Amino acid sequence: YSLTVRNQLVDLSQKTVFDEQNGRLRPLSSSDSSRVLVKKKSVDTVYDWSKSQATWSGDIKPERAGPLKLQAGDMDALLVNLAIVRDVAAGKPLRYRMVENGRAKAMVYQVVGKEKISVAGKSQEATKVSRTDGDKQMIVWVVPDMPVPAPILQRGNGQDSIDLTIKSWP
């Protein structure tokens, strides 16, 4: 699963290789790179399930390189997006543990309602899902039959900071 965002100021790329074990999405490796103006950053992650640990290399502080103990169900950010879509459709709780950049973080999302949104110029009924962490809020809209959230909106201090929207869909 990969995500790329590019414009005049930013070039972001995330890629996760994963498998599925007993209905759980399980990361095997990931690579994240970013270029914002002249600042570059690249981090690679290895999820070693035989040793139950994750390690990081690249542009990461030595104290964050790991290893970090993995728990069953741990995912990276990209897999959390896929899990949200899957779990909204199944009516399951939206509770996850995200392991990224040398840290593990519990994440709990809540369904906050239904909303009409436009995907590739077509009106769709979407389930709106949200998570708040201090002054940061993440909102995703889940459209039936789409494997990823349609829009993803991150807000900080009441301001939109990241707004990802799918422009085309088969």
Side-chain angles (χ1 to χ4, degrees):
Y1 174 36
S2 63
L3 171 70
T4 303
V5 177
R6 287 190 183 108
N7 65 27
Q8 299 87 340
L9 303 174
V10 174
D11 187 353
L12 305 171
S13 176
Q14 293 180 293
K15 180 180 179 182
T16 298
V17 175
F18 67 98
D19 68 5
E20 187 174 357
Q21 289 285 318
N22 303 318
R24 292 184 172 152
L25 302 175
R26 191 171 73 159
L28 302 175
S29 65
S30 67
S31 59
D32 297 331
S33 65
S34 63
R35 180 193 50 79
V36 180
L37 297 174
V38 295
K39 185 178 177 186
K40 290 183 180 182
K41 183 178 179 181
S42 181
V43 176
D44 293 316
T45 310
V46 174
Y47 300 88
D48 186 339
W49 292 97
S50 67
K51 294 179 181 176
S52 296
Q53 67 184 26
T55 54
W56 291 264
S57 61
D59 299 321
I60 191 159
K61 295 176 183 175
E63 62 271 18
R64 292 264 176 89
L68 181 107
K69 182 153 179 56
L70 290 171
Q71 298 176 8
D74 282 353
M75 293 182 277
D76 71 355
L78 287 180
L79 291 185
V80 169
N81 290 341
L82 296 180
I84 289 170
V85 170
R86 176 198 63 200
D87 294 344
V88 164
K92 291 183 177 179
L94 306 173
R95 298 177 181 275
Y96 312 100
R97 190 172 106 123
M98 181 179 72
V99 174
E100 212 170 53
N101 294 324
R103 293 186 264 186
K105 181 177 187 171
M107 305 174 89
V108 179
Y109 288 81
Q110 296 181 349
V111 173
V112 294
K114 299 275 187 181
E115 210 171 272
K116 287 276 189 189
I117 64 168
S118 178
V119 178
K122 185 178 173 188
S123 181
Q124 301 275 350
E125 175 87 0
T127 301
K128 186 177 179 182
V129 177
S130 177
R131 175 179 72 86
T132 302
D133 183 10
D135 63 351
K136 291 184 181 176
Q137 182 182 29
M138 180 73 75
I139 305 166
V140 299
W141 287 263
V142 177
V143 174
D145 300 322
M146 286 187 74
V148 296
I152 299 173
L153 177 63
Q154 186 173 316
R155 305 189 86 211
N157 296 320
Q159 303 276 333
D160 293 357
S161 58
I162 298 174
D163 186 357
L164 303 175
T165 303
I166 291 178
K167 296 294 184 190
S168 64
W169 182 250

